[in-house]
Amino acid sequence: MYNILIMYYYKIYTYGCQMNVHESEKLAGMLKQLNYEETLDDNKADVIVFNTCCIRENAEQHAIGNIGALKPLKKKKKDLIIAVGGCMTQQNGKAEYLKNTFPFVDVIFGTSNLNMFKEYLQKRLKTGKKVVEVIDGNYTIDETVKPYRTSYPNAWVNIMYGCNNFCSYCIVPYVRGREISREPAVILNEVKELVKSGYKEITLLGQNVDSYGKTAHFDYDFADLLTDICKIDGKFRLRFMSNHPKDITKKVVDAISKNDKTCKCIHLPLQSASTKILGLMNRKYTFEDYYDKVKMLKTAVPNCAITTDIMVGFPNETEEDFLDTYNATNDIKFDGAFTFVYSRRNGTKAFDMDGQIDDATKKDRIMRLVELQNAINAQKSTEYVGKTVEVLCEDYDEKRGLYLGRDEFSKMIYFSSEKSLIGEFVMVKITKAGGMSLYGEIGE
Ligand code: 5AD
Ligand code: SF4
């Protein structure tokens, strides 16, 4: 008698932000419970999941293109299950559009009911019928869903879901619902377990971490959470994203400054340095307010690195408004900036605004801004040469034949080593700078 072991495989396509990367780990956790193994090969997969993003049009188009490309495979392999979830499906009318445009898709689900994916997949397998379940509303917390983590020694931990801010360009509050915070004890326990099992860097995730606890039944805020996580024994780094310039408090800044485990590195999205544009964006701060927060940070945490998000081409942005942003970028000298061209999202306030900017002007502005930030990055990298920094080794780069990791300020550093150092803290002397990356040698 032979025991024939049939293996089933899944593949997950992830688009968009860190939040989605972690949600894909939760989808993988559910697939693992059903005994699926991961594959990177579409042809070998029995289940292919698209975890989509709709924050900008290009992210959406990317996913749509990839879903469409699977049609021939599905035709050849009738048993293949294709599932589409994530932010894109939550938009008004999008689930219907996906159902009609891609009739070969088997399961369509949203962000609010992501934790139900396992049940939807089982239903599809049992009945052979298409499952389309997108529910309007807030994220349903289900602490029984355990992520299958794929990014050792880094671990992502949600502290909250949703967003209450309604920045006028942003689709997130419409597709992810209102803010809900996880219970402090549950978060503390998750971090404790992660540290115990060897994770060395914990990143707390929320659309606006500074409003953690604000709409909850408990009287406990983000600064309290940072302070309590830092009391957990063991050597690990604590990161968090994103902070909001209107909400970050002195109490949070003090918690960062006082605790050794918190990385002195803050992501504080500016978006624009024109107060007129910030008003139209409904960001609820002026450029002066933003600058005051930067000064508060730099005073309380002298070496603090500040990274940011900047957007160009928002409706009614004049050359003068753009120059405000350009000059502020040159003045503040961010330690990193994600730069975006404004993308018109159906359903948001800005979608219907007069004064939309033409593509050529947007392109010209983004190119000038990127060039400036590249020069700032290069200058900052050069200043690293000769320094010795503590690096958490995260991976091995096959192409370069080098290990890589980041320092406290999230600077990527490559170095060589005879043995694997993944998951270890090592002192690295920086010998060379190249763009955003640095190269160094292990040593004191
Ligand atoms: N167009 C361009 N960029 C956007 N972002 C959010 N919505 C849009 C949009 N409609 C950017 C913001 C935000 C980051 C996560 O994505 O800069 O901080
Ligand atoms: Fe979008 Fe603004 Fe919420 Fe960030 S804070 S997710 S930009 S609405």
Side-chain angles (χ1 to χ4, degrees), residues 289-324:
D289 297 333
Y290 184 91
Y291 205 73
D292 286 347
K293 294 283 166 91
V294 168
K295 278 193 284 193
M296 172 175 86
L297 264 165
K298 294 269 183 195
T299 310
V301 195
N303 293 326
C304 189
I306 302 180
T307 58
T308 200
D309 292 342
I310 307 175
M311 194 189 303
V312 301
F314 185 79
N316 299 298
E317 183 190 66
T318 60
E319 175 65 14
E320 223 173 26
D321 295 318
F322 169 71
L323 285 177
D324 284 347

Short mmCIF file of all heavy atoms in Angstrom, two decimals, residues 289-324:
data_model
loop_
_atom_site.label_atom_id
_atom_site.label_comp_id
_atom_site.label_asym_id
_atom_site.label_seq_id
_atom_site.Cartn_x
_atom_site.Cartn_y
_atom_site.Cartn_z
N ASP A 289 2.65 74.93 11.60
CA ASP A 289 2.40 73.88 12.62
C ASP A 289 3.35 72.70 12.38
O ASP A 289 3.92 72.14 13.32
CB ASP A 289 0.96 73.32 12.53
CG ASP A 289 -0.09 74.37 12.82
OD1 ASP A 289 0.20 75.33 13.55
OD2 ASP A 289 -1.24 74.21 12.31
N TYR A 290 3.46 72.31 11.11
CA TYR A 290 4.32 71.16 10.78
C TYR A 290 5.76 71.45 11.20
O TYR A 290 6.42 70.64 11.85
CB TYR A 290 4.26 70.86 9.27
CG TYR A 290 5.06 69.62 8.90
CD1 TYR A 290 4.45 68.36 8.87
CD2 TYR A 290 6.42 69.69 8.60
CE1 TYR A 290 5.17 67.22 8.56
CE2 TYR A 290 7.15 68.56 8.27
CZ TYR A 290 6.52 67.32 8.25
OH TYR A 290 7.25 66.18 7.94
N TYR A 291 6.21 72.64 10.84
CA TYR A 291 7.60 73.03 11.13
C TYR A 291 7.83 73.04 12.65
O TYR A 291 8.88 72.62 13.12
CB TYR A 291 7.87 74.41 10.52
CG TYR A 291 9.33 74.63 10.23
CD1 TYR A 291 9.95 73.97 9.16
CD2 TYR A 291 10.10 75.47 11.03
CE1 TYR A 291 11.29 74.15 8.90
CE2 TYR A 291 11.46 75.66 10.77
CZ TYR A 291 12.04 74.99 9.71
OH TYR A 291 13.37 75.15 9.44
N ASP A 292 6.82 73.51 13.41
CA ASP A 292 6.94 73.50 14.88
C ASP A 292 7.09 72.08 15.41
O ASP A 292 7.86 71.84 16.34
CB ASP A 292 5.70 74.16 15.52
CG ASP A 292 5.73 75.68 15.36
OD1 ASP A 292 6.79 76.22 14.98
OD2 ASP A 292 4.66 76.31 15.57
N LYS A 293 6.36 71.14 14.80
CA LYS A 293 6.46 69.73 15.25
C LYS A 293 7.85 69.19 14.94
O LYS A 293 8.43 68.45 15.74
CB LYS A 293 5.38 68.86 14.57
CG LYS A 293 3.95 69.21 14.99
CD LYS A 293 3.61 68.66 16.37
CE LYS A 293 2.35 69.24 16.97
NZ LYS A 293 1.12 68.55 16.73
N VAL A 294 8.39 69.57 13.79
CA VAL A 294 9.74 69.12 13.44
C VAL A 294 10.74 69.66 14.47
O VAL A 294 11.60 68.94 14.96
CB VAL A 294 10.12 69.57 12.00
CG1 VAL A 294 11.61 69.39 11.72
CG2 VAL A 294 9.29 68.83 10.97
N LYS A 295 10.57 70.95 14.83
CA LYS A 295 11.48 71.55 15.81
C LYS A 295 11.34 70.86 17.17
O LYS A 295 12.34 70.59 17.83
CB LYS A 295 11.20 73.07 15.93
CG LYS A 295 11.89 73.86 14.82
CD LYS A 295 11.90 75.35 15.10
CE LYS A 295 10.54 75.93 14.84
NZ LYS A 295 10.39 77.35 14.77
N MET A 296 10.10 70.57 17.57
CA MET A 296 9.87 69.88 18.85
C MET A 296 10.60 68.54 18.86
O MET A 296 11.27 68.18 19.83
CB MET A 296 8.36 69.68 19.05
CG MET A 296 8.00 68.82 20.24
SD MET A 296 6.21 68.75 20.50
CE MET A 296 5.71 67.41 19.45
N LEU A 297 10.48 67.82 17.73
CA LEU A 297 11.13 66.51 17.63
C LEU A 297 12.65 66.62 17.71
O LEU A 297 13.31 65.89 18.46
CB LEU A 297 10.78 65.89 16.28
CG LEU A 297 9.64 64.92 16.24
CD1 LEU A 297 9.20 64.69 14.81
CD2 LEU A 297 10.08 63.60 16.86
N LYS A 298 13.17 67.58 16.93
CA LYS A 298 14.64 67.72 16.87
C LYS A 298 15.20 68.19 18.21
O LYS A 298 16.34 67.88 18.54
CB LYS A 298 15.03 68.71 15.76
CG LYS A 298 14.69 68.22 14.36
CD LYS A 298 15.83 67.45 13.74
CE LYS A 298 15.50 67.03 12.33
NZ LYS A 298 16.37 66.02 11.77
N THR A 299 14.41 68.93 18.98
CA THR A 299 14.88 69.39 20.29
C THR A 299 14.86 68.25 21.29
O THR A 299 15.83 68.02 22.03
CB THR A 299 13.97 70.55 20.81
OG1 THR A 299 13.84 71.50 19.76
CG2 THR A 299 14.53 71.19 22.05
N ALA A 300 13.76 67.49 21.31
CA ALA A 300 13.63 66.41 22.30
C ALA A 300 14.46 65.19 21.93
O ALA A 300 14.93 64.47 22.81
CB ALA A 300 12.17 66.03 22.44
N VAL A 301 14.61 64.94 20.63
CA VAL A 301 15.35 63.76 20.16
C VAL A 301 16.38 64.25 19.14
O VAL A 301 16.15 64.18 17.93
CB VAL A 301 14.39 62.73 19.50
CG1 VAL A 301 15.04 61.38 19.34
CG2 VAL A 301 13.06 62.61 20.24
N PRO A 302 17.53 64.75 19.61
CA PRO A 302 18.45 65.48 18.74
C PRO A 302 18.86 64.76 17.45
O PRO A 302 18.96 65.39 16.42
CB PRO A 302 19.66 65.73 19.63
CG PRO A 302 19.12 65.67 21.02
CD PRO A 302 17.99 64.70 21.00
N ASN A 303 19.06 63.42 17.50
CA ASN A 303 19.51 62.75 16.26
C ASN A 303 18.38 62.20 15.43
O ASN A 303 18.61 61.44 14.49
CB ASN A 303 20.44 61.59 16.62
CG ASN A 303 21.72 62.11 17.21
OD1 ASN A 303 22.20 63.18 16.82
ND2 ASN A 303 22.25 61.39 18.19
N CYS A 304 17.16 62.56 15.79
CA CYS A 304 16.00 61.91 15.17
C CYS A 304 15.99 62.07 13.64
O CYS A 304 16.18 63.17 13.12
CB CYS A 304 14.74 62.53 15.76
SG CYS A 304 13.28 61.65 15.29
N ALA A 305 15.80 60.95 12.96
CA ALA A 305 15.64 61.01 11.50
C ALA A 305 14.17 61.24 11.21
O ALA A 305 13.30 60.67 11.88
CB ALA A 305 16.11 59.71 10.87
N ILE A 306 13.89 62.08 10.24
CA ILE A 306 12.49 62.32 9.87
C ILE A 306 12.30 61.98 8.39
O ILE A 306 13.02 62.49 7.53
CB ILE A 306 12.07 63.79 10.14
CG1 ILE A 306 12.28 64.12 11.62
CG2 ILE A 306 10.61 64.02 9.74
CD1 ILE A 306 11.91 65.54 12.01
N THR A 307 11.36 61.07 8.14
CA THR A 307 11.02 60.75 6.75
C THR A 307 9.60 61.24 6.50
O THR A 307 8.87 61.56 7.43
CB THR A 307 11.13 59.23 6.49
OG1 THR A 307 10.26 58.56 7.40
CG2 THR A 307 12.54 58.72 6.66
N THR A 308 9.23 61.30 5.21
CA THR A 308 7.94 61.93 4.92
C THR A 308 7.30 61.40 3.65
O THR A 308 7.93 60.64 2.89
CB THR A 308 8.14 63.46 4.83
OG1 THR A 308 6.89 64.11 5.01
CG2 THR A 308 8.76 63.88 3.51
N ASP A 309 6.04 61.79 3.44
CA ASP A 309 5.34 61.59 2.16
C ASP A 309 5.06 62.97 1.60
O ASP A 309 4.60 63.86 2.34
CB ASP A 309 3.98 60.91 2.37
CG ASP A 309 4.09 59.47 2.85
OD1 ASP A 309 5.17 58.88 2.73
OD2 ASP A 309 3.08 58.96 3.37
N ILE A 310 5.30 63.16 0.31
CA ILE A 310 5.00 64.44 -0.33
C ILE A 310 4.23 64.17 -1.62
O ILE A 310 4.54 63.22 -2.35
CB ILE A 310 6.29 65.22 -0.68
CG1 ILE A 310 7.19 65.36 0.56
CG2 ILE A 310 5.96 66.61 -1.25
CD1 ILE A 310 8.52 66.02 0.29
N MET A 311 3.23 65.01 -1.85
CA MET A 311 2.41 64.84 -3.05
C MET A 311 2.48 66.10 -3.89
O MET A 311 2.43 67.21 -3.35
CB MET A 311 0.98 64.63 -2.58
CG MET A 311 0.05 64.12 -3.63
SD MET A 311 -1.63 64.18 -3.02
CE MET A 311 -1.51 63.21 -1.56
N VAL A 312 2.61 65.95 -5.21
CA VAL A 312 2.56 67.13 -6.08
C VAL A 312 1.36 67.01 -7.02
O VAL A 312 0.86 65.91 -7.27
CB VAL A 312 3.85 67.31 -6.92
CG1 VAL A 312 5.07 67.46 -6.02
CG2 VAL A 312 4.04 66.17 -7.92
N GLY A 313 0.91 68.17 -7.51
CA GLY A 313 -0.15 68.18 -8.51
C GLY A 313 -1.54 68.08 -7.93
O GLY A 313 -2.50 67.75 -8.66
N PHE A 314 -1.70 68.37 -6.63
CA PHE A 314 -3.04 68.40 -6.05
C PHE A 314 -3.81 69.55 -6.72
O PHE A 314 -3.21 70.56 -7.09
CB PHE A 314 -2.93 68.62 -4.53
CG PHE A 314 -4.24 68.54 -3.82
CD1 PHE A 314 -4.80 67.30 -3.53
CD2 PHE A 314 -4.95 69.68 -3.48
CE1 PHE A 314 -6.04 67.21 -2.90
CE2 PHE A 314 -6.18 69.60 -2.86
CZ PHE A 314 -6.73 68.36 -2.57
N PRO A 315 -5.16 69.44 -6.86
CA PRO A 315 -5.91 70.51 -7.52
C PRO A 315 -5.58 71.89 -6.96
O PRO A 315 -5.45 72.07 -5.74
CB PRO A 315 -7.37 70.13 -7.22
CG PRO A 315 -7.35 68.66 -7.06
CD PRO A 315 -6.02 68.31 -6.49
N ASN A 316 -5.43 72.84 -7.87
CA ASN A 316 -5.15 74.25 -7.55
C ASN A 316 -3.73 74.51 -7.06
O ASN A 316 -3.44 75.60 -6.57
CB ASN A 316 -6.15 74.81 -6.52
CG ASN A 316 -7.56 74.77 -7.06
OD1 ASN A 316 -7.85 75.41 -8.07
ND2 ASN A 316 -8.41 73.97 -6.45
N GLU A 317 -2.84 73.52 -7.17
CA GLU A 317 -1.44 73.76 -6.77
C GLU A 317 -0.79 74.62 -7.85
O GLU A 317 -0.63 74.20 -9.00
CB GLU A 317 -0.69 72.44 -6.62
CG GLU A 317 0.75 72.62 -6.14
CD GLU A 317 1.56 71.33 -6.23
OE1 GLU A 317 1.80 70.85 -7.38
OE2 GLU A 317 1.95 70.80 -5.18
N THR A 318 -0.42 75.85 -7.49
CA THR A 318 0.26 76.73 -8.45
C THR A 318 1.77 76.45 -8.38
O THR A 318 2.24 75.75 -7.48
CB THR A 318 0.04 78.21 -8.08
OG1 THR A 318 0.58 78.40 -6.77
CG2 THR A 318 -1.43 78.58 -8.10
N GLU A 319 2.50 77.05 -9.31
CA GLU A 319 3.96 76.93 -9.29
C GLU A 319 4.50 77.44 -7.94
O GLU A 319 5.41 76.86 -7.36
CB GLU A 319 4.54 77.72 -10.47
CG GLU A 319 6.06 77.80 -10.52
CD GLU A 319 6.78 76.46 -10.75
OE1 GLU A 319 6.12 75.47 -11.14
OE2 GLU A 319 8.00 76.41 -10.51
N GLU A 320 3.87 78.49 -7.45
CA GLU A 320 4.29 79.06 -6.16
C GLU A 320 4.08 78.07 -5.00
O GLU A 320 4.96 77.91 -4.15
CB GLU A 320 3.46 80.31 -5.89
CG GLU A 320 4.27 81.46 -5.35
CD GLU A 320 3.42 82.72 -5.27
OE1 GLU A 320 2.18 82.63 -5.15
OE2 GLU A 320 4.03 83.78 -5.35
N ASP A 321 2.91 77.41 -5.02
CA ASP A 321 2.64 76.40 -3.98
C ASP A 321 3.67 75.29 -4.07
O ASP A 321 4.18 74.81 -3.06
CB ASP A 321 1.23 75.78 -4.16
CG ASP A 321 0.12 76.79 -3.96
OD1 ASP A 321 0.22 77.60 -3.02
OD2 ASP A 321 -0.84 76.78 -4.76
N PHE A 322 3.93 74.86 -5.31
CA PHE A 322 4.92 73.79 -5.49
C PHE A 322 6.28 74.24 -4.97
O PHE A 322 6.97 73.48 -4.29
CB PHE A 322 5.02 73.38 -6.97
CG PHE A 322 6.20 72.48 -7.22
CD1 PHE A 322 6.20 71.17 -6.76
CD2 PHE A 322 7.35 72.97 -7.86
CE1 PHE A 322 7.32 70.35 -6.93
CE2 PHE A 322 8.45 72.15 -8.05
CZ PHE A 322 8.44 70.84 -7.58
N LEU A 323 6.64 75.49 -5.25
CA LEU A 323 7.96 75.98 -4.79
C LEU A 323 8.02 76.02 -3.26
O LEU A 323 9.08 75.79 -2.68
CB LEU A 323 8.27 77.34 -5.39
CG LEU A 323 8.68 77.30 -6.87
CD1 LEU A 323 8.91 78.70 -7.42
CD2 LEU A 323 9.91 76.42 -7.11
N ASP A 324 6.89 76.28 -2.61
CA ASP A 324 6.87 76.20 -1.13
C ASP A 324 7.28 74.79 -0.69
O ASP A 324 8.08 74.62 0.23
CB ASP A 324 5.45 76.47 -0.59
CG ASP A 324 5.10 77.96 -0.63
OD1 ASP A 324 6.00 78.78 -0.84
OD2 ASP A 324 3.89 78.27 -0.47
#
